[in-house]
């Protein structure tokens, strides 16, 4: 781990924290806004889009898990591209990741504001009506303060948000089961007339419900035994995200008659609005909004500030960002200046007040980042033959190639405004890189072999393996239930 003024980050995150950070980043704005709104267009066929999105996310998740065992440090794709390609591509990946995750976070803050206002309306309170942006900005400021206090504090809060969300979700599912109308699951909707362009656009929005799955690799300097923890967290997290998407989508299908699908397709809060359209008021909406707003949304905003700040910190140390942002707090052990900058960017995006635009920009930028990450995986295997034995995945290069092709396809069929914005970001990256970086394209090849090789002792390993086995068993059971709901009903 590199040092700055003898202050280093603290490896305080275990498997549970890594999962809650990763799943929290992903489960939120996509699932509870524009992702599930696509049910209003494709109906029960949403499960196919969800499955495809899962499949095209599992490949890069596995690849990133392997890359993290070689370079278990902060910076994720930026670090991988720096060695697998060069520092220019690393800089490009870093910027696109930062913009994408910040977009997710700002979209999540807006989503929280929408659900929070709906929640208050159930109690007849309209104090914050039409104050969506103000609520979102205040929320970002609160999370800036939380993250500046340090990763130990923010990770405890993250676990609380994530488990609160899961607890509310289970209670809501149990409460709503008697209200499921199985005939609604086969509602009349004609999605066969969709053009290829529309289908890929819908797939992109559903895939956005999976983006950000690699959050834990961006915080590699703060994860305990990262060569073991990160690959496990990534594999579990991507399946947990599928479970959340599949279950919530199935319940929405079973609750809302197809005659309201058009309203769902344009809804900013499809679950809350769907319940209202179906005639549900009071407790089910309150429980849902509390779970989504104070669990799902908050669990996304928290790592959505922490993760991109680690990219800025790492890039700053490499002189492709002002050195000012590499400072680490003496007590908090976090890059506080980088965290503050992420908050400022969030506020700027919130002022656009458009979740769809934010989603499109995030989708394209993160696809670019993952493409660079997969290219880095292939490049690293080619450039450093001495470490090929560290790559354990069979057909890893094939997985990377498939991912690159699919993500290029998704980009081509995205919103034109989002593609234009991403091109503008790319041009700014060019300028920023050539102005700031004084050591262009120079990396120390000896650094590719990780110096961090700390391993758990026997007792710690037993505890880690037991914890992983429990997470794995629960994930398999819930994933099976999620698929069977669509197959049986």
């Amino acid at each position: 781990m590199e040092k700055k003024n003898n202050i280093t980050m603290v490896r305080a995150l275990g498997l549970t924290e890594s999962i809650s950070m990763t799943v929290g980043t992903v489960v939120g704005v996509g699932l509870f806004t524009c992702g599930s709104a696509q049910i209003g267009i494709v109906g029960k066929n949403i499960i196919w889009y969800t499955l495809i999105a899962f499949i095209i996310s599992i490949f890069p998740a596995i690849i990133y898990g392997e890359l993290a065992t070689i370079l278990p440090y902060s910076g994720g794709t930026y670090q991988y591209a720096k060695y697998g390609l060069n520092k220019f591509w690393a800089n490009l990946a870093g910027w696109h990741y930062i913009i994408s995750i910040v977009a997710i976070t700002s979209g999540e803050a807006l989503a929280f504001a929408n659900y929070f206002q709906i929640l208050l309306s159930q109690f007849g309170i309209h104090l914050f009506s039409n104050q969506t942006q103000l609520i979102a900005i205040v929320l970002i400021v609160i999370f800036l303060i939380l993250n500046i206090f340090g990763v130990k504090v923010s990770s405890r809060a993250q676990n609380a948000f994530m488990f609160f969300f899961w607890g509310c979700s289970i209670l809501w599912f149990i409460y709503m089961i008697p209200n499921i109308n199985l005939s609604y699951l086969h509602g009349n909707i004609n999605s066969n007339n969709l053009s290829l362009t529309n289908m890929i656009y819908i797939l992109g929005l559903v895939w956005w419900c999976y983006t950000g799955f690699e959050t834990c690799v961006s915080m590699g300097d703060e994860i305990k035994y990262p060569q073991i923890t990160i690959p496990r967290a990534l594999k579990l997290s991507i399946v947990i995200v599928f479970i959340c998407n599949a279950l919530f989508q199935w319940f929405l299908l079973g609750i809302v008659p197809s005659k309201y699908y058009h309203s769902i397709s344009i809804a900013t809060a499809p679950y809350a609005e769907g319940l209202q359209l179906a005639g549900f008021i009071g407790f089910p909406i309150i429980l849902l909004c509390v779970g989504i707003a104070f669990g799902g949304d908050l669990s996304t905003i928290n790592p959505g500030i922490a993760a991109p700040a680690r990219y800025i910190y790492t890039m700053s140390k490499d002189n492709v960002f002002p050195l000012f942002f590499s400072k680490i707090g003496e007590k908090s052990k976090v890059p506080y200046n980088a965290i503050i900058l992420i908050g400022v960017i969030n506020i700027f995006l919130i002022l656009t007040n458009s979740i769809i635009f934010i989603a499109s920009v995030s989708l394209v930028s993160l696809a670019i980042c993952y493409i660079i990450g997969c290219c880095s995986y292939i490049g690293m295997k080619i450039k450093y033959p001495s470490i090929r034995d560290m790559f354990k995945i069979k057909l890893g290069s094939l997985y990377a190639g498939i991912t690159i092709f699919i993500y290029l396809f998704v980009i081509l069929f995205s919103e034109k405004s989002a593609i234009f914005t991403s091109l503008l970001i790319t041009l700014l990256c060019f300028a920023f890189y050539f102005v700031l970086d004084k050591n262009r394209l120079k990396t120390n090849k000896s650094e590719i072999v990780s110096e961090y090789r700390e391993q758990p002792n026997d007792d710690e390993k037993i505890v880690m393996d037991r914890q992983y086995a429990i997470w794995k068993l629960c994930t398999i059971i819930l994933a099976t239930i999620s698929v069977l709901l669509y197959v049986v009903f």
Side-chain angles (χ1 to χ4, degrees):
M1 188 183 343
E2 294 183 67
K3 296 185 178 182
K4 194 72 177 177
N5 298 327
N6 297 320
I7 303 174
T8 62
M9 293 184 178
V10 178
R11 293 193 180 275
L13 306 178
L15 180 63
T16 298
E17 291 78 18
S18 299
I19 291 172
S20 66
M21 282 283 186
T22 302
V23 175
T25 305
V26 184
V27 174
V29 64
L31 170 57
F32 296 117
T33 56
C34 55
S36 290
Q38 305 314 305
I39 287 175
I41 301 174
V42 300
K44 191 180 181 181
N45 289 331
I46 193 70
I47 187 59
W48 296 111
Y49 290 87
T50 299
L51 279 170
I52 294 170
F54 166 71
I55 291 168
I56 64 178
S57 297
I58 194 68
F59 288 162
I62 293 171
I63 289 169
Y64 270 67
E66 186 157 85
L67 287 171
T69 65
I70 300 170
L71 290 168
Y73 305 115
S74 297
T77 308
Y78 172 82
Q79 291 277 27
Y80 310 149
K82 183 169 70 174
Y83 295 104
L85 300 172
N86 57 49
K87 286 180 74 176
F88 167 73
W89 290 105
N91 184 59
L92 186 64
W95 268 104
H96 276 290
Y97 177 86
I98 291 166
I99 294 298
S100 177
I101 299 301
V102 170
I104 289 174
T105 307
S106 57
E108 195 69 54
L110 287 169
F112 170 89
N114 288 328
Y115 276 99
F116 184 64
Q117 290 175 91
I118 292 172
L119 174 62
L120 291 180
S121 70
Q122 297 301 302
F123 295 98
I125 301 173
H126 302 282
L127 181 63
F128 297 104
S129 298
N130 302 317
Q131 298 295 325
T132 302
Q133 291 166 292
L134 177 61
I135 295 171
I137 290 171
V138 169
L139 193 63
I140 291 296
V141 172
I142 292 171
F143 275 94
L144 280 180
I145 296 171
L146 178 66
N147 274 270
I148 288 172
F149 273 122
V151 71
K152 290 184 178 180
V153 174
S154 61
S155 65
R156 291 192 196 104
Q158 182 65 20
N159 284 345
F161 296 143
M162 200 72 259
F163 282 94
F164 179 77
F165 166 71
W166 285 331
C168 288
S169 298
I170 291 170
L171 289 176
W172 187 76
F173 290 152
I174 293 172
Y175 183 85
M176 294 306 298
I177 283 175
N179 299 293
I180 294 293
N181 189 322
L182 297 180
S183 65
Y184 291 171
L185 294 169
H186 307 280
N188 295 322
I189 186 167
N190 187 7
S191 59
N192 296 324
N193 295 327
L194 289 174
S195 65
L196 178 63
T197 300
N198 288 334
M199 286 191 288
I200 295 177
Y201 175 70
I202 292 170
L203 175 62
L205 290 176
V206 174
W207 173 70
W208 193 50
C209 298
Y210 289 84
T211 54
F213 60 78
E214 80 306 344
T215 300
C216 58
V217 305
S218 68
M219 302 180 71
D221 271 322
E222 294 156 286
I223 293 178
K224 293 182 289 187
Y225 309 118
Q227 283 103 338
I228 298 173
T229 302
I230 292 178
R232 289 178 173 182
L234 283 173
K235 285 186 287 188
L236 289 169
S237 296
I238 202 70
V239 181
I240 293 171
V241 171
F242 166 76
I243 293 167
C244 291
N245 277 272
L247 286 177
F248 269 100
Q249 289 165 355
W250 187 84
F251 272 83
L252 186 61
L253 285 164
I255 292 168
V256 181
S258 59
K259 65 181 180 180
Y260 295 124
Y261 277 4
H262 173 71
S263 297
I264 293 295
S265 69
I266 59 174
T268 56
Y271 286 90
E273 293 177 44
L275 284 173
Q276 290 175 327
L277 290 169
F280 294 96
I281 58 173
F283 181 73
I285 294 182
I286 292 171
L287 179 59
L288 177 71
C289 290
V290 167
I292 292 174
F294 294 97
D297 291 342
L298 299 189
S299 69
T300 298
I301 297 169
N302 189 32
I305 289 175
R310 272 55 177 186
Y311 267 70
I312 290 176
Y313 159 77
T314 305
M315 293 166 71
S316 176
K317 292 196 300 179
D318 284 349
N319 294 313
V320 290
F321 221 90
L323 286 172
F324 174 74
F325 294 105
S326 65
K327 292 183 178 180
I328 296 177
E330 185 174 349
K331 292 183 178 180
S332 65
K333 310 295 184 184
V334 295
Y336 56 92
N337 289 328
I339 290 171
I340 293 170
L341 177 61
I342 291 300
V344 172
I345 301 173
N346 265 292
I347 291 171
F348 174 78
L349 280 176
I350 286 170
L351 293 175
T352 68
N353 201 30
S354 173
I355 291 179
I356 287 292
F357 173 73
I358 289 171
S360 299
V361 171
S362 173
L363 186 157
V364 174
S365 284
L366 210 47
I368 291 171
C369 180
Y370 292 157
I371 288 170
I372 294 173
C374 290
C375 288
S376 303
Y377 175 84
I378 297 171
M380 209 176 289
K381 294 179 76 172
I382 295 172
K383 289 175 69 175
Y384 306 106
S386 61
I387 64 167
R388 283 181 185 169
D389 61 332
M390 298 178 70
F391 292 91
K392 306 298 183 182
I393 303 173
K394 295 181 180 179
L395 303 177
S397 295
L398 176 62
Y399 295 163
I402 292 172
T403 301
I404 292 167
F405 174 78
I406 292 173
Y407 287 4
L408 281 172
F409 213 61
V410 170
I411 291 173
L412 289 174
F413 287 88
S414 298
E415 285 276 2
K416 298 296 183 289
S417 60
I419 295 174
F420 175 79
T421 303
S422 293
L423 287 174
L424 181 61
I425 293 169
T426 300
L427 291 175
L428 290 173
C429 287
F430 270 105
F432 210 76
Y433 172 73
F434 285 106
V435 168
L436 283 183
D437 188 20
K438 305 298 188 298
N439 303 294
R440 296 187 194 102
L441 311 182
K442 295 179 182 179
T443 53
N444 184 352
K445 291 187 178 182
S446 64
E447 293 176 359
I448 191 66
V449 179
S450 171
E451 296 177 2
Y452 182 83
R453 291 292 165 191
E454 184 178 348
Q455 296 295 316
N457 60 40
D458 291 342
D459 291 339
E460 289 176 318
K461 186 66 164 57
I462 290 172
V463 172
M464 291 174 68
D465 289 344
R466 184 184 301 121
Q467 185 183 41
Y468 176 59
I470 293 171
W471 274 102
K472 187 177 179 180
L473 177 62
C474 293
T475 301
I476 291 172
I477 292 172
L478 290 172
T480 302
I481 292 172
S482 302
V483 173
L484 286 176
L485 284 175
Y486 288 88
V487 173
V488 176
F489 302 106

